[in-house]
Amino acid sequence: MREFGRKPVEAAQFREIFELHLQHRGLISTVGELDRRGWRTKRWTTRKGKVRGDVAFGKTNLHHLLTNPAYAGKLRYNDKIYQGEHEAIVSEEMFDQVQQLLASNRRSRQARKRQKSDALLAGRLFCKHCNCAMSPSYTKRGTRRYRSYTC
């Protein structure tokens, strides 16, 4: 049984991308690590001879890769997922962990609309220990507001 039509080197790289996402716990930080390593999307040629792929990973194509059930040995058809006949590249447990992490990081449109902050460094500071974005916070003492950032 072949691994989803991929070469063993590509399969190992896909496994490592899933592991990196679990380690970095966010799309942006994972994209940064992939960029640091110089990893790019697969290059392929269409039937008409046009070259596609071979671009740096971005949030969109990384999210597409991480949510594709084919890497877990399954197929999606009409919004339903079925067991495939190909061998999985990543374990079902790892795939499920990544899906849960992606779901927990997802914010609703309403939450984004309501979020207003005067914090200048919001989204630009990252925790040194877990590499997650730091959130603006504040405490009040009397009428004075003391701003800080927390992991």
Side-chain angles (χ1 to χ4, degrees):
M1 191 182 270
R2 284 183 46 163
E3 283 189 325
F4 185 46
R6 303 282 182 188
K7 297 175 186 170
V9 174
E10 290 174 342
Q13 192 173 26
F14 283 116
R15 271 187 223 100
E16 197 161 347
I17 289 172
F18 275 82
E19 290 170 4
L20 281 172
H21 184 68
L22 287 174
Q23 184 180 20
H24 288 276
R25 307 192 60 76
L27 287 173
I28 294 173
S29 56
T30 306
V31 165
E33 178 62 23
L34 294 174
D35 190 41
R36 188 186 70 73
R37 293 179 180 207
W39 289 4
R40 301 173 70 77
T41 60
K42 183 176 179 171
R43 180 183 172 145
W44 55 283
T45 307
T46 65
R47 289 182 186 156
K48 293 183 179 182
K50 292 185 179 182
V51 177
R52 301 282 187 208
D54 195 30
V55 295
F57 277 97
K59 279 178 27 177
T60 304
N61 54 12
L62 178 62
H63 186 271
H64 182 72
L65 183 147
L66 293 172
T67 56
N68 188 347
Y71 297 109
K74 300 182 180 207
L75 296 171
R76 181 179 293 137
Y77 180 74
N78 287 343
D79 295 333
K80 291 185 180 177
I81 296 178
Y82 301 95
Q83 186 62 43
E85 294 183 4
H86 60 282
E87 190 174 324
I89 293 177
V90 297
S91 68
E92 193 168 336
E93 295 80 26
M94 180 183 286
F95 186 79
D96 290 340
Q97 285 176 348
V98 168
Q99 302 318 300
Q100 289 173 357
L101 180 60
L102 288 169
S104 70
N105 288 345
R106 192 175 299 131
R107 291 190 296 183
S108 70
R109 290 180 191 264
Q110 291 297 323
R112 279 182 270 167
K113 284 180 187 175
R114 277 186 263 123
Q115 184 180 17
K116 293 180 182 174
S117 174
D118 296 332
L120 298 175
L121 300 176
R124 292 181 176 87
L125 288 180
F126 293 89
C127 176
K128 192 170 188 172
H129 298 289
C130 65
N131 205 26
C132 292
M134 297 186 77
S135 303
S137 181
Y138 69 90
T139 57
K140 285 176 83 173
R141 197 170 279 170
T143 58
R144 188 152 175 124
R145 186 180 281 192
Y146 296 92
R147 297 182 184 277
S148 63
Y149 294 87
T150 59
C151 177

